């Protein structure tokens, strides 16, 4: 069974990915995708089964699902950076959860809303890493809402749109540059 502690579950994913590594260079995408897909299926099954057996009330199940998904996103961020390590400097990049996911709750089959934050206009390598993560997530199957913005763009967008403002109020860092997220 999958551990309830998100860090322990993420460690299992990292171990599975580590077992695929056959030397220098990133793990082939198809092999990594299959590993991530199995892990996502385990996450969804674990939360569903625990909930259906009455061992977990609804809100706690939604929090557990969000916590376990956090680890998947964090591991994917690391994998994306390893794939794009030789394609130029990614620069400062933080990945944040927004909306309900940012509040730490995720209903089954709900959108995973992500905000990719950069310090300034994103470098081409950063855009490639973000694009890689998004395509990878879409290939995994969940619905993904996303935006890529600099800190200044976040402020400008929030000033012009209350929906964007409220989604960013609940932003929670998942991976990447912690100092950049703090400045956001």
């Amino acid at each position: 069974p999958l551990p309830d502690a998100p860090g322990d579950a993420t460690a299992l994913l990292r171990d599975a990915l580590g077992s695929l590594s056959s030397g220098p260079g990133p793990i082939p995408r198809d092999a990594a995708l299959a590993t991530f897909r199995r892990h996502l299926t385990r996450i969804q099954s674990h939360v569903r089964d625990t909930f259906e057996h009455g061992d977990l009330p609804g809100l706690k199940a939604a929090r557990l699902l969000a916590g376990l998904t956090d680890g998947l996103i964090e591991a994917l961020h690391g994998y994306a950076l390893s794939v794009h390590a030789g394609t130029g400097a990614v620069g400062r990049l933080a990945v944040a959860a927004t909306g309900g996911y940012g509040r730490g709750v995720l209903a089954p089959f709900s959108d995973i809303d992500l905000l990719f934050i950069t310090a300034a206009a994103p470098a081409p390598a950063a855009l490639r890493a973000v694009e890689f993560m998004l395509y990878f997530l879409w290939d995994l199957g969940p619905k993904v809402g996303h935006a890529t913005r600099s800190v200044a763009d976040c402020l400008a967008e929030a000033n012009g749109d209350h929906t964007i403002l409220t989604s960013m109020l609940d932003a929670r860092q998942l991976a990447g540059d912690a100092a950049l997220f703090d400045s956001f």
Side-chain angles (χ1 to χ4, degrees):
L2 193 66
D4 283 338
D8 294 343
T10 303
L12 290 177
L13 173 58
R14 289 187 194 283
D15 289 347
L17 290 169
S19 71
L20 297 174
S21 182
S22 60
I27 300 162
R29 187 182 190 283
D30 289 344
L33 183 61
T35 301
F36 274 93
R37 188 171 283 133
R38 278 190 302 276
H39 188 73
L40 179 59
T41 299
R42 287 181 72 193
I43 288 171
Q44 293 167 336
S45 297
H46 174 69
V47 173
R48 182 194 64 231
D49 292 347
T50 306
F51 172 76
E52 287 178 353
H53 287 109
D55 298 330
L56 197 60
L59 183 56
K60 286 186 179 181
R63 286 185 178 139
L64 177 60
L65 183 57
L68 294 171
T69 302
D70 290 353
L72 184 137
I73 300 296
E74 180 186 346
L76 177 55
H77 174 261
Y79 175 60
L81 292 182
S82 75
V83 167
H84 293 282
T87 64
V90 170
R92 298 183 70 195
L93 177 65
V95 183
T98 60
Y101 181 39
R103 287 186 295 278
V105 293
L106 190 60
F109 307 107
S110 181
D111 289 8
I112 298 173
D113 293 319
L114 299 174
L115 174 61
F116 297 90
I117 305 167
T118 59
L127 291 175
R128 284 190 297 272
V130 168
E131 182 179 78
F132 180 88
M133 287 184 67
L134 291 172
Y135 280 123
F136 201 95
L137 285 166
W138 290 327
D139 287 347
L140 283 176
K143 293 179 248 167
V144 180
H146 64 92
T148 303
R149 297 187 180 109
S150 69
V151 173
D153 289 341
C154 287
L155 294 174
E157 292 290 328
N159 283 330
D161 187 325
H162 290 289
T163 303
I164 293 172
L165 173 65
T166 56
S167 76
M168 285 193 266
L169 286 174
D170 295 317
R172 180 171 53 84
Q173 185 191 7
L174 300 175
D177 190 322
L180 176 62
F181 180 80
D182 288 344
S183 72
F184 156 77

